[in-house]
Amino acid sequence: MAKFLVHFELSHGQEQVTQGNIVIVDLVPEKKNLHEEVTTIIAEQFNCPPSLISITQIKMNI
């Protein structure tokens, strides 16, 4: 498993965007597309569709 620091934006409409950071620990990057997996996790935490999430940066911490 790996630990990732993810910077993201959550779009609430044309003029409302929330920026945030989240640390995700329980990922196994080899299992599937990392971007998809991270987007899904963030969407679940914010109870919104994954299409509203934009990943701006992913950093892996060892």
Side-chain angles (χ1 to χ4, degrees), residues 2 4 6 8-10 13-14 18-19 24 26 28 30-31 33 37-40 44-45 51 57 62:
F4 295 89
V6 181
F8 67 92
E9 294 181 348
L10 174 60
Q14 291 180 341
T18 300
Q19 295 181 339
I24 301 174
D26 298 330
V28 181
E30 298 84 26
K31 282 185 102 177
N33 182 315
E37 190 171 358
V38 168
T39 302
T40 301
E44 287 173 358
Q45 289 187 3
S51 60
Q57 188 176 43
I62 298 174

Side-chain angles (χ1 to χ4, degrees), residues 34-44 49-51 53-55:
L34 178 62
H35 188 271
E36 273 182 40
E37 190 171 358
V38 168
T39 302
T40 301
I41 290 170
I42 295 170
E44 287 173 358
S51 60
I53 306 292
S54 291
I55 303 299

Side-chain angles (χ1 to χ4, degrees), residues 15-33:
E15 297 182 13
Q16 294 181 328
V17 174
T18 300
Q19 295 181 339
N21 304 311
I22 191 168
V23 175
I24 301 174
V25 179
D26 298 330
L27 286 182
V28 181
E30 298 84 26
K31 282 185 102 177
K32 65 178 187 179
N33 182 315

